Structures are given as structure tokens and as C-alpha cells.
Amino acid sequence: MKKALAILSAALFSALCLASCGGTDGTSSSSESSQESSAASTSSAESSEGSSSEESQAEESSAETDAAAEFTTVTEGVLTMATNAEFPPYEYYEGDTIVGIDAEVAQLIADELGLTLEIADIAFDSIVPGVQSGKYDIGVAGMTIDEKRLESVNFSTPYATGIQAVIVTEDSDITSVDDLAGKTIGVQTNTTGDIKACEDFGMENVVQYDNGAMAVEGLKSGKVDCVIIDNEPAKSYAAANEGLKVLETEYAVEEYAICFSKENAALQEAVNGILEDLIADGSVQEIVDKYIKAE
Ligand code: GLN
């Protein structure tokens, strides 16, 4: 009985999901999405018919597997992840390989989905547009859930906390975030550090760099008075560059999540289910602890 209920609710859930995805697709007019929408309505019809062979299949598989069966990926059998591998310890190179917290979490998710993980290293700025347009399946890049980004992509359940921190030179007269007004601030273009610094201190006081390492170079050469960047890369940069330190006070507290195309709600559903399990069973924490040692 319980099992039957579970199957029924899983079927109901996917029917609901398909209905809502279909609705969204229906209003969009691009040829790509109309293809997807016809695929969605085919499976929707199948699931509402509920043929007996499908039911017996469903009995053997979990609701999660059912959800996983419905999504499509850019390349069949592959989970294509976009990142910017200049964000230690979330993503960075070890030799030719991209490693880090995000790479490992994504690998566990791909394993659970039965897909091969492929990582594309692109400019941070290009991740949201690339995922939105369906070029990549997921964006995993220490990416903060942000209202502007939510207009273009969907986000998973958060899997980590991010803090916007401030790097200064050891002899700096900036001793807390209260001293930032009127200073020249280096940031990585289109990160939340950039967005918030422009809001709080004015664009004219913010210098954008392509990546964190370049912003840190700007600080070392005196072009900017400080760098606002996420706490973990901030610590890595301060450790790797003599004469720099990270301020104790936090500039902002944020949440990191995986982003998806709004057209691929089934993939988001499947990944979320897995991610939530990986958070609940401590796997995500284990990966975080491997890369971030408690102070
Ligand atoms: N968390 C920041 C953001 O989402 C920076 C991420 C990054 O540089 N990879 O904007």
C-alpha cells in the first residue's frame, strides 16, 4: 500500500512537473524549446496513460530514478558543467585537471545520475548565459544565488555558505568594512562582490578584473586599495602573496548553489534530490572539510 502511494505520488509529481514545464515551453517561441516541449508532452501523455508495463517498471525504480529518466542533457550520457577554474578551493587546476569542492560534488552527482562529468572552464561571466541558452547542463562555480541571475537561470538547493571578504595590504589603513567608503575597490567582473560594491560605493570606485588573481595583482601594484572577493579564494590569495591579509569583518554572507536552464526543470529536480541526499548524509561536508581546514 505504502509502495503504491509512493508510486502514485511520484507519478503525480512528475505529471505536475511536466505540466508546468510544458506550460512554460508553450509560451516560449524558440524552435529549440518547441522541440523540448513536444518531447515533454509525449512523456506526459505516456505517464497519464500509465500502462501496466510502465507501472511495473516504476515499482522497481525509485521516484528519483523516474525523475532522472525524464531530463535531457546537452550530450547524451554526459553531464556538462560550466565553471571558472580560478576560484580555489572550489575549482582550480592541479596539473591539467580541474579539482576542488565543486568538481567533487558535481562528480558525485554525475555518478548518481549515471552520467560522465565533463567540465568546461570558461569566463565566470559566461556561465549564466551559457547555462541559460542550453550550451551547458549546469553551472557550478561557487556561484551565489542572486536575484538578477534568478531572472535568467534556476538555482539548486544551496550547498555552501559564501562570504564576501576584503583583502588589503598588511600596512593598509583599511581595518574593517567600515573604512571602504572613498577607497578604490578591485573586484572580479560580475561577481556578487562587484555588484554589491558598485551598489554600496559607486561604480566609479570599483575596478573590474577578469579574475581574482588579476585583482590581487592590482592590489599589490597599488592600483586598488583593496579587493572584495569570496572568503575562501581571499584566504588562498593572501596565503600565496606576501604582505596581504584578509580583514576579519565580513562584507556579505551568501549561499552557493548550482544553476540550471529554466527549460530543464527535470534535471534540476533530479540533481536537487541527489544534492539534498549528499548534504544530509554528510558527503558534501566531507568534501568541504577536505579542502577547507578548520581554523
Ligand atoms: N560567489 C561569487 C558570485 O557568485 C563569486 C563566484 C566566482 O568568482 N566563481 O558572484
Short mmCIF file of all heavy atoms in Angstrom, two decimals, residues 87 124 141-144 149 188 191-192 230 256, ligand 1:
data_model
loop_
_atom_site.label_atom_id
_atom_site.label_comp_id
_atom_site.label_asym_id
_atom_site.label_seq_id
_atom_site.Cartn_x
_atom_site.Cartn_y
_atom_site.Cartn_z
N PHE A 87 39.09 29.69 -8.89
CA PHE A 87 38.34 30.00 -7.67
C PHE A 87 38.66 28.96 -6.60
O PHE A 87 37.80 28.19 -6.19
CB PHE A 87 36.84 30.02 -8.02
CG PHE A 87 35.97 30.72 -7.03
CD1 PHE A 87 36.00 32.10 -6.86
CD2 PHE A 87 35.07 29.99 -6.25
CE1 PHE A 87 35.17 32.72 -5.96
CE2 PHE A 87 34.22 30.60 -5.34
CZ PHE A 87 34.27 31.98 -5.20
N PHE A 124 33.88 33.47 -15.85
CA PHE A 124 32.77 33.42 -14.88
C PHE A 124 31.52 34.09 -15.45
O PHE A 124 30.41 33.57 -15.33
CB PHE A 124 33.19 34.10 -13.56
CG PHE A 124 32.11 34.04 -12.52
CD1 PHE A 124 31.84 32.86 -11.86
CD2 PHE A 124 31.34 35.15 -12.24
CE1 PHE A 124 30.80 32.78 -10.93
CE2 PHE A 124 30.31 35.09 -11.31
CZ PHE A 124 30.04 33.91 -10.65
N ALA A 141 30.13 26.95 -9.72
CA ALA A 141 31.28 27.86 -9.73
C ALA A 141 31.32 28.72 -8.47
O ALA A 141 31.59 29.91 -8.54
CB ALA A 141 31.18 28.75 -10.98
N GLY A 142 31.02 28.10 -7.34
CA GLY A 142 30.94 28.91 -6.11
C GLY A 142 29.98 30.05 -6.35
O GLY A 142 30.20 31.17 -5.93
N MET A 143 28.91 29.74 -7.10
CA MET A 143 28.03 30.81 -7.57
C MET A 143 26.94 31.13 -6.55
O MET A 143 26.22 30.25 -6.10
CB MET A 143 27.40 30.42 -8.91
CG MET A 143 26.65 31.59 -9.52
SD MET A 143 25.93 31.17 -11.09
CE MET A 143 27.37 31.13 -12.12
N THR A 144 26.87 32.40 -6.23
CA THR A 144 25.90 32.88 -5.25
C THR A 144 24.51 32.99 -5.88
O THR A 144 24.39 33.47 -7.01
CB THR A 144 26.35 34.28 -4.76
OG1 THR A 144 27.67 34.17 -4.24
CG2 THR A 144 25.41 34.83 -3.71
N ARG A 149 20.44 36.99 -11.32
CA ARG A 149 20.70 35.71 -12.00
C ARG A 149 19.43 34.86 -12.05
O ARG A 149 19.22 34.13 -13.02
CB ARG A 149 21.81 34.94 -11.27
CG ARG A 149 23.15 35.62 -11.40
CD ARG A 149 24.23 34.95 -10.58
NE ARG A 149 25.44 35.76 -10.61
CZ ARG A 149 26.41 35.71 -9.72
NH1 ARG A 149 26.33 34.86 -8.71
NH2 ARG A 149 27.46 36.48 -9.83
N GLN A 188 36.20 41.02 -9.17
CA GLN A 188 36.13 40.19 -10.36
C GLN A 188 34.81 40.52 -11.06
O GLN A 188 33.75 40.48 -10.42
CB GLN A 188 36.18 38.71 -9.96
CG GLN A 188 36.16 37.78 -11.14
CD GLN A 188 36.11 36.33 -10.70
OE1 GLN A 188 36.35 36.00 -9.53
NE2 GLN A 188 35.78 35.45 -11.61
N THR A 191 30.82 39.42 -10.45
CA THR A 191 30.59 38.60 -9.26
C THR A 191 29.69 39.40 -8.33
O THR A 191 29.48 40.61 -8.52
CB THR A 191 31.91 38.27 -8.53
OG1 THR A 191 32.55 39.52 -8.21
CG2 THR A 191 32.83 37.43 -9.41
N THR A 192 29.21 38.73 -7.29
CA THR A 192 28.35 39.45 -6.35
C THR A 192 29.17 40.51 -5.60
O THR A 192 28.61 41.52 -5.19
CB THR A 192 27.67 38.47 -5.38
OG1 THR A 192 28.64 37.51 -4.93
CG2 THR A 192 26.53 37.76 -6.03
N ASP A 230 35.23 36.44 -2.61
CA ASP A 230 34.74 35.42 -1.68
C ASP A 230 35.86 34.98 -0.73
O ASP A 230 37.03 34.94 -1.10
CB ASP A 230 34.20 34.22 -2.45
CG ASP A 230 33.03 34.60 -3.35
OD1 ASP A 230 33.16 35.58 -4.11
OD2 ASP A 230 32.00 33.94 -3.30
N TYR A 256 25.88 29.51 -1.91
CA TYR A 256 26.29 28.96 -3.21
C TYR A 256 25.31 27.88 -3.65
O TYR A 256 24.86 27.05 -2.84
CB TYR A 256 27.66 28.29 -3.12
CG TYR A 256 28.84 29.20 -2.86
CD1 TYR A 256 30.05 28.65 -2.46
CD2 TYR A 256 28.75 30.57 -3.03
CE1 TYR A 256 31.16 29.45 -2.22
CE2 TYR A 256 29.86 31.38 -2.79
CZ TYR A 256 31.05 30.82 -2.39
OH TYR A 256 32.14 31.61 -2.16
N1 GLN B 1 30.27 33.89 -5.29
C1 GLN B 1 30.61 34.89 -6.24
C2 GLN B 1 29.48 35.06 -7.23
O1 GLN B 1 28.69 34.19 -7.38
C3 GLN B 1 31.92 34.63 -6.96
C4 GLN B 1 31.99 33.32 -7.69
C5 GLN B 1 33.23 33.16 -8.54
O2 GLN B 1 34.00 34.06 -8.74
N2 GLN B 1 33.46 31.96 -9.02
O3 GLN B 1 29.39 36.04 -7.88
#
